[in-house]
Amino acid sequence: QVIMVTVSVIMPCHNGEKYIGKAIESVIAQTYPYWELLVIDDFSTDNTRSAVQAYAERDSRIRLLRNERTTRMPATPRNVGIKEAAGRYIAFLDCDDMWLPEKLAHQLPLFEEKNCGAVFSLYKKMDEAGNVTNTVISPASADFRTLLKGNCIGNLTGIYDTAADSNTVSVHVLCSRMGYDICTPLERTTVHRSSKGIINNQRHTVL
């Protein structure tokens, strides 16, 4: 059965076998089904690739891409994923983070309802053991001037409309400059894990 992809989920990873299964399962558990997951392996030396491949063999919406050398910078594998993306909407999820099941279902309607170019949300942080440590509260909306002062969007929470023109590193800044609102649902949609030794955790709030 061919499913039309609406959302492309970009997941860069380097040596993330410890948590990547939970991250992938949180995408599979989405109540909104029209997504693809692109996992870009940044030349891992552990069992990351075999773990991802096992999921890809069971679910055709999951694809594994691989860098031929490690970059240790999440922006590079993210850009690889963006180039391969088939969906109109681009979302990012690090391999040690998780989405709640209705993340996409809560966020996607806001693009039409609020004329948004990007949507984000508040999120909870947890430690390596899975204990929740605190909640990061995001503003209800953000305009161009606000985003120039600093990034208030948790990377794992954001989803962006490529129709608003995403040919830039700071997609949310461009969207706001073009007159699109940057807005957030009231619901918490994601959980960020503070972990060590995984490439994606180095700058988890920056695109």
Side-chain angles (χ1 to χ4, degrees):
Q1 181 180 2
V2 178
I3 297 178
M4 182 173 292
V5 173
T6 304
V7 182
S8 294
V9 185
I10 310 300
M11 182 183 293
C13 189
H14 176 76
N15 290 345
E17 66 172 315
K18 185 175 182 180
Y19 301 117
I20 196 166
K22 294 292 186 183
I24 292 174
E25 288 168 11
S26 76
V27 178
I28 295 173
Q30 291 299 298
T31 58
Y32 181 88
Y34 304 113
W35 51 262
E36 65 172 353
L37 172 60
L38 305 178
V39 182
I40 305 89
D41 176 58
D42 198 48
F43 206 75
S44 294
T45 56
D46 63 358
N47 293 318
T48 294
R49 290 192 303 278
S50 58
V52 175
Q53 190 60 44
Y55 283 101
E57 290 173 358
R58 298 194 298 268
D59 193 324
S60 61
R61 296 173 295 179
I62 300 171
R63 294 173 55 196
L64 173 61
L65 307 173
R66 185 189 183 194
N67 286 338
E68 294 304 317
R69 60 181 179 84
T70 184
T71 65
R72 293 195 174 274
M73 290 294 294
T76 300
R78 283 179 187 144
N79 286 336
V80 170
I82 290 171
K83 290 179 180 178
E84 293 289 328
R88 170 176 172 173
Y89 300 97
I90 301 291
F92 298 99
L93 178 64
D94 291 347
C95 67
D96 56 344
D97 295 337
M98 295 183 295
W99 285 350
L100 298 184
E102 295 188 342
K103 193 263 191 192
L104 296 177
H106 281 315
Q107 291 185 319
L108 286 170
L110 292 177
F111 285 100
E112 295 295 330
E113 294 173 8
K114 303 291 186 179
N115 189 34
C116 291
V119 178
F120 62 103
S121 71
L122 57 83
Y123 61 98
K124 287 188 179 293
K125 285 189 173 183
M126 63 182 177
D127 59 24
E128 291 190 71
N131 302 308
V132 174
T133 56
N134 65 294
T135 298
V136 179
I137 305 296
S138 302
S141 63
D143 58 18
F144 181 59
R145 181 171 296 182
T146 300
L147 290 169
L148 285 180
K149 294 178 181 178
N151 183 25
C152 59
I153 299 177
N155 193 52
L156 73 160
T157 76
I159 180 169
Y160 308 92
D161 185 356
T162 62
D165 191 345
S166 61
N167 187 26
T168 180
V169 173
S170 299
V171 182
H172 47 281
V173 174
L174 180 66
C175 288
S176 61
R177 187 175 184 178
M178 293 177 67
Y180 290 90
D181 288 334
I182 312 297
C183 55
T184 180
L186 296 177
E187 298 84 357
R188 174 174 60 89
T189 62
T190 58
V191 181
H192 167 73
R193 188 191 306 271
S194 298
S195 57
K196 299 177 181 178
I198 298 177
I199 182 174
N200 318 80
N201 191 48
Q202 296 173 8
R203 298 179 65 185
H204 67 272
T205 60
V206 181
L207 285 177

